[in-house]
Amino acid sequence: MADIKKQKIAIIIPYFGKFPNYFPFWLKSAYYNPEFTFMIFTDNKNYKSKKNVLFINMNFSEFKKYFQQILNFKICLNEPYKICDFRPLFGEALQEYISDFDFWGFGDIDLILGNLSKFITPEILESHDKIYEFGHLTILKNNKLCNSLWKEKHHIKNAYRFDEALRIPTACHFDEMYGLTEIAREKKIRVYNSVDFADIDRKKFNFFMIGKQRKILPGLFEWKNGNLTFLCKDGNNVSKQSVAYVHFQKRPMKVAGKIKNADQFIMIPNKIIPNANALTYLKKQVIVKKYNYYKKDRLKEMIRNVRFHHAIRQRIYRRFIKKGYRKFILDRK
């Protein structure tokens, strides 16, 4: 049986600018996953490499060069958020950093990690090439097949090709549903995609997960000594569900205390609280139906989707190619 400690895994996280206020909590949850090495490419010099978290200092322009040098056309990478579309290229572009690893992956820091090894087991690593399919955490085998998936010249209706996504200025989600995920399915590589994490719904204020009886119940998350648990009330009972990680979807979170001397903390819908009693907060939890933050954010999102919806962009792009503009669009440098 494979040993997860021998199956070395590198998670690559580029982040340029100021880290979110709850970054120390993410950092602590990463330290409790020693089987994974987290490589953070950043221009932020407030943190130093420690244990299994490596800070690789460089500016955004320097990081951009890693991708330009492996492509023969001019890429469109004008802001850090657009890096998401370049994540599938990490295995090739950043090979000098990950050559000694069996797996590489990418992820976000707007989340808190649980005990990943409990969910990504040696058996799963041994029998799969790709684990998970979302941008907040995806892991791929460090081999020629997975490192070159992004190059596939496919004709999938609802997915971009790399020569489209890497030339468009806005985010195309090429790292997940509109790119790598669909390409992996067409290529029929071995994919593991159990939903054992929590992806918070931005439309709702309260945290929701589906319980054992398939009832959707509101609750909170508790992190304790490396383990992450979702707790919710079901009548007079409290149910608990272990999860690999919780993804906040850029939700603003207040921090009520310091993580330095805390071995546990809870996450309620708008706050992270160190050394708090989860059951106490669960008993007095208030269900909030209106979420003003989301409404403001949603308006901007709707406008952006109308202007830059991926299907419209893709159809326009491919129509130009059909009409004979291939040389102008695809071969310009």
Side-chain angles (χ1 to χ4, degrees), residues 205-208 217-219 233 284-290:
F205 179 79
N206 294 93
F207 295 155
F208 288 89
L217 301 168
K233 291 185 295 184
K284 62 181 182 181
Q285 184 179 38
V286 177
I287 306 300
V288 180
K289 295 182 179 179
K290 292 184 178 180

Side-chain angles (χ1 to χ4, degrees), residues 199-260:
D199 198 13
I200 298 305
D201 189 345
R202 288 189 297 157
K203 300 176 184 178
K204 298 178 176 65
F205 179 79
N206 294 93
F207 295 155
F208 288 89
M209 283 193 74
I210 298 175
K212 293 180 180 179
Q213 290 76 39
R214 308 303 295 173
K215 290 172 66 176
I216 299 177
L217 301 168
L220 55 82
F221 293 91
E222 178 185 50
W223 184 92
K224 189 174 183 179
N225 294 324
N227 294 294
L228 182 64
T229 307
F230 180 75
L231 294 85
C232 62
K233 291 185 295 184
D234 188 0
N236 295 322
N237 300 317
V238 174
S239 64
K240 298 181 179 182
Q241 182 178 344
S242 181
V243 290
Y245 63 89
V246 54
H247 179 221
F248 295 130
Q249 297 236 37
K250 303 178 184 68
R251 175 184 294 236
M253 299 285 284
K254 297 177 182 177
V255 175
K258 295 183 178 180
I259 186 62
K260 188 175 182 181

Side-chain angles (χ1 to χ4, degrees), residues 14 48 69 78 90 92 163 177 185 190 217 230 233 240 264 269 271 273 283 291 299 301 320-321 328-329 332:
K48 294 183 179 180
Q69 67 188 11
N78 300 324
F90 286 175
E92 183 173 338
D163 52 359
M177 74 280 284
R185 285 174 181 161
R190 301 174 301 169
L217 301 168
F230 180 75
K233 291 185 295 184
K240 298 181 179 182
Q264 69 180 74
K271 194 180 296 184
I273 311 171
K283 288 178 182 178
Y291 190 19
L299 180 60
E301 188 173 280
F320 265 94
I321 294 172
F328 173 74
I329 294 176
R332 63 191 176 93

Side-chain angles (χ1 to χ4, degrees), residues 13 41 126 172 205 210 227 263 293:
I13 304 175
F41 292 78
E126 188 72 22
C172 299
F205 179 79
I210 298 175
N227 294 294
D263 290 324
Y293 169 79

